[in-house]
Amino acid sequence: MTSSFNCISWNCRGGLSFSRKQRIIRSLVRTHALSLLCLIETKKEIIDDFLVCRLWPSLDFDYCFSPSSRSSRGILCIWNKNLLSPVLHSITKNWISLGCLWNSITFRFTCVYASCCSSERAVLWDLIKSELQVDSNYIIIGGFNEILRPSERLHCSSFSSSMRQFSEFINASNLIESPLQGRFFTWENSISKSKLDRCFMSEGVISTWPNSFLSALPRNFSDHVPLLFRSQVLTDWGPKPFKSFNAWWEHKDFNSFVSDSWISVSDQPDFVSKLRSLRALIKNWNLNVFGNLNHKLASTLQAIHSLESSSDFHDLTDSDKEVLSSLHSDSFRFSKQLESLWHQKSRVNWHLLGDRNTKFFHSVASIHSRTNLLTEISVDGSLFTSPIDIKQQVSLFFKRLYKSNVDVPFSLESLEVKRINSIQSEALTAVFSEDEILHTLMSCATTRLRAQTVLIFSSIKERGLL
């Protein structure tokens, strides 16, 4: 049994009866070991077992569908019945909603195909929002036929009312979008591109599957790209880079510890070796002194609970009250440090959220981690996907960037430089005459100043200073 819940949503634009598209779909199911497949815009009013057998490579399937209307719309969901036993919640012309059980994990899965009409989409958002209120764990994937910001559509520069309605629906439903890797636009034709296909999740799903991943696959014979969702993707990128957390500096002994540690590594041969030794000392301090904040907070709260429970039956002694006061102080300090830790990881300001919701910051930190993830890199037309190759190409790029280059990357030979003739050159080096000086002075003065200039000039000439 696969350890990952793998699902593909694809607006296939019909053509399910053609062997070419059937082979593509079968290949997607087999290659990615799918648990669930969602096909949008099937353009089929009736779907039977014979057709699904042509799409799913084995007989371990079950399915449900929303029929098309006059060769438009239509949704088909096929799943591996050995892995999933979904309970059908609802089927409409715009979505199929399933209650799924995966390895003891319960969640609601909804495949959406929104209308091209903005007024119909507004009604759809309200209907989906009411459906989501009954569950805390849900995944919504499919074609929403709407964007959230102008940058998600080519040549779009302003917000529309339908975009604002879509954004309000996302915020009201507490949905968090899974960042798409591999592509930015998911739909394109000869003149336009847009991000119309998306995947949203609730905080519960993100907490359950912190390593989930959404990637774009080749378009094949459609104007939409397939979206591949995987619940578990673990890639070994080697040791994680060392990071300093603000919560460490709030510890009363951390400043002095860093100072003493830096003195202790002063005998290292170079600066890099000193930093490596200091990093090892700080990691050891974090493990043995700073400790696990979650464990410390839980232990402190348990101790507070025990003392407060005993106060229900007898009065606390003065020493017990002092201990209880100290425990409350420790609880506040651990909570503050824990919030600071997740705040720094998520990079979200407290005043934007309005309250201190650590679970929210867990979710945001996970989203940031997936957003910053490099799955592939293209260098000079070559695509690199393995962590070793990606790290090597990044290292080579910065080595070339900061390497000194003795060759001058430009030349002045092609520039047209204007030249002066010999007469102009001689005029520039000629000695100034008295008449030229007097003429220049006279040309830049008023009538009164001219007379004064003549007197001054004559006096200078008589004294032989000129």
Side-chain angles (χ1 to χ4, degrees):
M1 179 182 295
T2 178
S3 59
S4 175
F5 172 75
N6 298 339
C7 166
I8 282 181
S9 171
W10 185 28
N11 188 324
C12 61
R13 293 298 302 273
L16 296 184
S17 300
F18 295 98
S19 58
R20 181 176 59 181
K21 188 159 289 188
Q22 290 173 356
R23 285 195 300 269
I24 293 172
I25 295 173
R26 289 172 64 89
S27 177
L28 290 175
V29 176
R30 185 183 297 108
T31 302
H32 301 287
L34 295 187
S35 310
L36 180 63
L37 171 66
C38 299
L39 297 177
I40 300 171
E41 201 170 353
T42 60
K43 298 183 179 181
K44 301 284 290 184
E45 295 185 4
I46 298 177
I47 295 178
D48 53 20
D49 293 356
F50 180 77
L51 176 59
V52 177
C53 284
R54 305 292 298 274
L55 304 176
W56 196 268
S58 59
L59 298 178
D60 56 353
F61 67 84
D62 203 350
Y63 67 96
C64 64
F65 69 96
S66 173
S68 64
S69 175
R70 297 181 181 179
S71 299
S72 65
R73 299 180 179 174
I75 307 173
L76 170 62
C77 288
I78 313 173
W79 59 87
N80 187 328
K81 62 182 181 182
N82 294 331
L83 303 178
L84 285 175
S85 300
V87 177
L88 182 62
H89 281 289
S90 59
I91 295 180
T92 71
K93 64 180 182 180
N94 293 116
W95 82 74
I96 293 179
S97 182
L98 303 172
C100 300
L101 177 64
W102 168 265
N103 290 348
S104 72
I105 299 173
T106 303
F107 61 96
R108 175 177 288 209
F109 183 90
T110 303
C111 181
V112 175
Y113 179 40
S115 171
C116 296
C117 177
S118 59
S119 59
E120 293 184 6
R121 286 198 301 271
V123 175
L124 176 62
W125 305 149
D126 292 335
L127 293 175
I128 295 178
K129 185 166 58 177
S130 62
E131 284 275 324
L132 298 179
Q133 291 176 352
V134 298
D135 285 315
S136 59
N137 296 338
Y138 41 83
I139 300 174
I140 303 178
I141 194 170
F144 292 85
N145 274 324
E146 187 56 273
I147 59 175
L148 287 172
R149 53 192 67 88
S151 60
E152 295 176 349
R153 176 170 292 149
L154 195 64
H155 307 310
C156 180
S157 58
S158 61
F159 286 87
S160 65
S161 58
S162 60
M163 291 165 58
R164 294 188 179 93
Q165 291 172 350
F166 186 38
S167 179
E168 292 170 358
F169 156 68
I170 299 302
N171 295 331
S173 303
N174 295 321
L175 292 172
I176 301 175
E177 183 173 5
S178 180
L180 179 62
Q181 302 290 332
R183 291 291 298 270
F184 182 74
F185 298 114
T186 64
W187 168 85
E188 64 178 282
N189 60 16
S190 58
I191 59 174
S192 183
K193 297 180 180 181
S194 296
K195 186 177 181 181
L196 304 181
D197 304 271
R198 301 171 180 271
C199 178
F200 296 98
M201 295 179 291
S202 64
E203 292 181 11
V205 172
I206 294 176
S207 300
T208 303
W209 289 329
N211 297 312
S212 61
F213 188 77
L214 184 70
S215 58
L217 303 178
R219 284 194 303 130
N220 286 311
F221 301 100
S222 176
D223 52 5
H224 291 259
V225 299
L227 302 185
L228 171 62
F229 174 83
R230 289 175 286 178
S231 65
Q232 191 77 7
V233 177
L234 298 176
T235 305
D236 185 12
W237 288 91
K240 293 183 178 180
F242 177 78
K243 295 180 180 179
S244 172
F245 292 105
N246 297 334
W248 290 348
W249 298 95
E250 296 175 1
H251 194 279
K252 60 183 179 64
D253 298 328
F254 187 66
N255 281 327
S256 59
F257 168 77
V258 173
S259 300
D260 297 340
S261 300
W262 184 251
I263 296 174
S264 67
V265 300
S266 59
D267 58 342
Q268 296 293 331
D270 51 60
F271 184 69
V272 174
S273 299
K274 292 179 181 179
L275 289 179
R276 287 175 178 170
S277 300
L278 179 63
R279 178 181 63 183
L281 292 173
I282 293 177
K283 283 186 175 181
N284 186 61
W285 177 89
N286 177 59
L287 180 64
N288 298 320
V289 179
F290 191 75
N292 188 315
L293 289 177
N294 289 298
H295 178 70
K296 284 185 175 181
L297 180 60
S299 301
T300 303
L301 293 176
Q302 183 60 42
I304 292 174
H305 175 72
S306 299
L307 279 175
E308 291 180 342
S309 298
S310 62
S311 66
D312 294 340
F313 304 99
H314 57 80
D315 294 335
L316 296 178
T317 63
D318 292 339
S319 61
D320 288 338
K321 291 179 181 179
E322 291 179 1
V323 171
L324 184 60
S325 177
S326 177
L327 288 173
H328 277 294
S329 178
D330 291 341
S331 172
F332 176 77
R333 179 164 52 87
F334 293 148
S335 298
K336 185 178 179 181
Q337 290 175 345
L338 192 61
E339 291 166 357
S340 174
L341 180 67
W342 282 107
H343 180 202
Q344 188 174 355
K345 287 185 177 182
S346 63
R347 302 193 299 276
V348 175
N349 294 326
W350 291 116
H351 68 277
L352 295 180
L353 179 64
D355 60 352
R356 299 178 177 182
N357 187 345
T358 306
K359 182 180 179 182
F360 171 80
F361 287 103
H362 275 272
S363 304
V364 175
S366 300
I367 289 292
H368 278 308
S369 177
R370 288 197 295 276
T371 302
N372 297 330
L373 178 64
L374 282 176
T375 57
E376 59 186 22
I377 185 172
S378 178
V379 180
D380 297 330
S382 300
L383 195 64
F384 300 91
T385 57
S386 68
I388 295 177
D389 293 337
I390 292 177
K391 289 192 289 185
Q392 183 180 16
Q393 291 301 321
V394 171
S395 177
L396 289 175
F397 170 79
F398 284 102
K399 284 182 179 179
R400 294 168 186 158
L401 180 65
Y402 295 111
K403 182 180 179 181
S404 60
N405 192 354
V406 295
D407 298 329
V408 180
F410 57 87
S411 174
L412 300 178
E413 295 178 356
S414 61
L415 296 179
E416 296 183 1
V417 180
K418 293 184 178 182
R419 301 176 182 273
I420 60 176
N421 54 38
S422 58
I423 299 175
Q424 293 171 327
S425 177
E426 292 175 358
L428 290 174
T429 57
V431 179
F432 294 106
S433 64
E434 296 177 6
D435 294 337
E436 285 180 323
I437 297 174
L438 180 59
H439 176 73
T440 302
L441 292 173
M442 297 294 289
S443 65
C444 61
T446 62
T447 303
R448 182 179 179 182
L449 290 177
R450 288 196 193 104
Q452 294 177 353
T453 301
V454 171
L455 293 175
I456 294 172
F457 186 75
S458 300
S459 175
I460 293 173
K461 187 176 180 181
E462 290 175 358
R463 295 180 183 180
L465 298 177
L466 183 63

